[in-house]
Every structure is written in C-alpha cells, then in structure tokens.
Amino acid sequence: MESSRWFNTEQAFAPGRELFRSTRRFSLWAQTVSHGQTLLRSRKGADGRSGEPTRVDLLFKPVRAMKLRQDYHGLVVRCATAEEAAGIREQVAPTPTGDDRILVLETGGSPDFVVSGAFGWYEDLGGDLEPSPFSSAVEEGRPPWSDPVLLGVDGGLTSRAASLEDLVEAVARTRYRYVYVLMFRLGDFPGAAGPATPTSVFLTRAEAERERARRLAGGAGEWWIEQTPIAV
C-alpha cells in the first residue's frame, strides 16, 4: 500500500486550506542541514496493541523557521489564515519571503508552525531502518546498505540503512565475517582522556576508511576503526 501528496505550488497553499489530517501519533524523526529538511513520522506498528499497518512520513523543505514539539497525538497540517500568517511573521526573523509557505500544525493545546517552501506526505509499508520514501539516497537496483553507513539516525533522508534481514544475509556470505566500527574520542591529541564512542558501522574496511578520512578532515578528535566479529 502506497499513497502520497506533494504540495509546492502557489495554488496548493490557499489560506486556511487543510493539507493533511490523521488521528495517528507522529514524532519529530529527522532533520538535515542539506536542503533544510524536517521529517515527522508515524511508525509502522507503533500505535496501540495491534499496531499500525503502515508508515507515514511528513516532510517539510526547505525549512526557514519552525515551532514544533517532539510528539503529536493526532495531527492536522493546514495553511495559515492571513491573520495567523501575520502573527507568525512577527515571531520569526528574517521575515518569511513570498516563496515561503506558513503552515499550521494542530493537535491538543496551542498550534505549532513551520515556514517552508514545500510540504508532502507519503504512506508506505516501510520500517524504521529503511530509507524514507523522500530519500534522495535511494537508487534503483542497489541494496540500501551497499555503500554508506549502517545507521539511520536521519531517517534515511541522506544515508541508507540496512535492515536486520539485510545485515544477516550479508554477514552469512563468505565475504562478510566482520563489521568495521568507526570509533571517536574527543581530544586534542591521540590517547587524550575521554569516552570512546562508536559512531557508525560498515560492512567493509574500505567504506570505513573513506568515512574516517572524511571525519579527520573535518576537525579535532581521534578517529579509529575497530574490527568486530559477527556471528549468525
């Protein structure tokens, strides 16, 4: 089951027009610097004892300003009325331009808002570790974990993530008996005091080395790779 809508034209944002309505629970799921994206998600199987049969992603981009909460229990997204838009413009700086749409998010209590250029929703059967259907990283015919890290902290908007089934299948092959964990410790010199933190996991050392080189070029801190055996 898949359904979606995308709103990015002047005609779509008539004052007061309702763009989306749901009784499901939504959470602030991901934000990216690239393209100013903000993702809200209603998880598959997350609501109630029986669980929801689908995943619903709401994407705002590019976001200029916003007032959001972590969770919404029931959600309506609509275009602001002229009066509401004037009040929100007084709260944000710089003042929204003619290309920015002012959207009101209604749930229990006072409403929130997002100022963005476009908005859309997508309902599908995906899980939390699968890329968002809005992801620009998804390529037809390639496994989602083929190159980048196995994480998913940005909702799959800019990186691919392996599902548990994909990981088990990969490790079961002769090529994959280890995973490569990129570790980080904050400090000005190697061996400096501070906790060691795993940041991401790769199926090949080459992928881990590329990410380590990128991280080292970005600033201070100690980065190294630990080879970890995986048993299935």
Side-chain angles (χ1 to χ4, degrees):
M1 172 184 175
E2 290 191 7
S3 59
S4 64
R5 289 290 304 275
W6 185 249
F7 304 95
N8 62 351
T9 64
E10 186 69 30
Q11 294 76 14
F13 295 96
R17 180 187 178 188
E18 185 177 295
L19 304 178
F20 177 82
R21 175 183 290 268
S22 176
T23 60
R24 293 174 58 158
R25 176 183 177 181
F26 287 82
S27 299
L28 178 58
W29 196 259
Q31 294 177 288
T32 70
V33 174
S34 175
H35 304 295
Q37 301 176 104
T38 294
L39 183 75
L40 302 182
R41 172 170 292 176
S42 179
R43 301 169 62 190
K44 177 181 175 182
D47 300 331
R49 291 186 177 181
S50 61
E52 295 286 354
T54 60
R55 170 182 69 174
V56 182
D57 279 2
L58 309 184
L59 183 69
F60 303 83
K61 64 178 284 189
V63 174
R64 312 296 187 190
M66 61 183 175
K67 173 182 173 287
L68 296 176
R69 63 197 72 188
Q70 179 61 42
D71 293 292
Y72 294 87
H73 297 269
L75 179 62
V76 174
V77 180
R78 62 172 177 82
C79 304
T81 64
E83 182 179 359
E84 289 171 327
I88 291 171
R89 286 191 179 94
E90 293 179 355
Q91 300 179 49
V92 301
T95 302
T97 67
D99 293 332
D100 293 327
R101 324 298 181 185
I102 300 179
L103 303 176
V104 174
L105 283 68
E106 293 181 322
T107 188
S110 60
D112 293 337
F113 66 82
V114 176
V115 180
S116 68
F119 162 74
W121 56 267
Y122 204 114
E123 182 175 11
D124 66 6
L125 298 174
D128 289 347
L129 291 180
E130 296 178 55
S132 169
F134 290 111
S135 174
S136 60
V138 177
E139 297 179 24
E140 192 69 29
R142 289 175 62 103
W145 45 263
S146 59
D147 290 317
V149 295
L150 296 169
L151 70 175
V153 295
D154 66 350
L157 288 174
T158 58
S159 64
R160 305 176 187 88
S163 68
L164 178 60
E165 291 77 12
D166 286 335
L167 179 59
V168 170
E169 180 183 354
V171 172
R173 301 174 192 150
T174 303
R175 180 184 173 193
Y176 299 123
R177 296 301 180 186
Y178 295 89
V179 292
Y180 300 88
V181 182
L182 182 60
M183 303 292 295
F184 173 73
R185 179 183 290 115
L186 183 62
D188 296 328
F189 55 89
T197 304
T199 64
S200 48
V201 182
F202 300 82
L203 290 176
T204 68
R205 178 173 289 277
E207 292 163 347
E209 291 287 2
R210 285 199 299 269
E211 180 65 9
R212 177 175 179 268
R214 187 180 73 84
R215 297 282 189 168
L216 286 172
E222 183 182 3
W223 295 89
W224 71 97
I225 296 168
E226 292 188 0
Q227 180 175 291
T228 303
I230 291 289
V232 294

